Amino acid sequence: MSDQLYLSLWFPNFRLEALPAALISVLQQFARISGDSRVSAASAIPIDWTESPIYQRIYVNDERSEESDDAKIENAIREATEQLHDDTAYEFEMKWQLWLPESVEGFDTTWRLQPYTVKITGFGPEFDEGAYDQNGHIRVDFGLDTPWVLEDEELDKTAQQKIQQNIEKLLAFTLSVEKHSGISSRLLWTESGEPLAEKLVASLQRLN
């Protein structure tokens, strides 16, 4: 069964004024792995997740916007965090290409690289009653874990190779953040609480 996948990041001696720089660093590591340094959306949400954003911008990233600097990481974060508040979460969406199955009735499953949205959120210390203690100063929401977890042991060799490449990309991003973003700790976890590390190891063991 599909599960929501997250990466929580904590920073040493963290202060709200350090949040924009920390976000820039994490998004830059994502861009290194994804190959795309453009932000697709940015929001600032006050108080808790039930509230409407006080700031929101959708970026159009196509040929017409390639010459614009607005969607670049530093500029998007600077604009969204222009007014920092203790009780606000700052969320940024980026995309990377993952292998996903495409099934058409009567034909074999085809695997294609498709855009997959990732949400990277920095939390003010008073947002959602200080939930950053558990969520992390910055939390990465990868979406459903289906691109990385083998639920079907009968997958053919092509499917196994594609899933392994997805796993390698996920681990590369996690290790890049650990190496370059100055974090004090990290946790890769699922919404259900199932032991993700064991699921990933099991997937890799079946692949090799």
Side-chain angles (χ1 to χ4, degrees), residues 16 40 57 63 74 101 105 122-123 144 170 174 194 196 207:
L16 180 64
S40 57
R57 182 168 181 183
E63 294 80 3
E74 295 86 346
E105 189 174 350
F123 296 101
L144 295 178
L170 173 69
T174 302
E194 287 189 28
L196 178 73
L207 296 172

Side-chain angles (χ1 to χ4, degrees), residues 92-106:
F92 302 88
E93 294 185 11
M94 297 183 75
K95 296 181 186 295
W96 57 0
Q97 301 285 323
L98 297 179
W99 290 105
L100 297 170
E102 192 173 89
S103 299
V104 178
E105 189 174 350

Side-chain angles (χ1 to χ4, degrees), residues 11-24 84 138:
F11 294 78
N13 304 313
F14 193 68
R15 297 291 184 271
L16 180 64
E17 55 268 23
L19 183 59
L23 280 164
I24 288 173
L84 282 172
I138 292 176

